[in-house]
Amino acid sequence: MNAVKAESDNLTVYGTEFKNLAQTVNDAYYSIDDANHQLHTISDNFDFDEDHYQYISDRVTQLVTLQKNMAPH
């Protein structure tokens, strides 16, 4: 993404339409960069509880087994 940003900045010497394009690319670059930082902040706040996951997984397995056993044959 940095390469695209740099290349679009280099094209600005060729006219206004390239300046507009460079501004659009710059805006997109900083929007994506901001979104990336927000996603990292959000993901850093997630906690994975292996024990709770295993409990839920076991419970689902039990329920599926019960459902199969109760289904008419």
Side-chain angles (χ1 to χ4, degrees), residues 48-59:
F48 182 74
D49 184 344
E50 181 70 34
D51 292 333
H52 187 68
Y53 169 79
Q54 192 59 52
Y55 168 78
I56 297 296
S57 181
D58 291 345
R59 188 75 175 127

Side-chain angles (χ1 to χ4, degrees), residues 1-3 5 7 9-11 16 18 25 28 33-34 37 40-41 43 45 47 49-50 55 60 64 69-71:
M1 188 70 175
N2 273 340
K5 184 178 170 307
E7 288 300 318
D9 287 341
N10 291 337
L11 293 174
T16 305
F18 289 107
V25 170
D33 189 53
D34 184 48
H37 287 294
H40 281 285
T41 299
S43 67
N45 291 323
D47 291 326
D49 184 344
E50 181 70 34
Y55 168 78
V60 168
V64 168
N69 290 338
M70 294 187 73

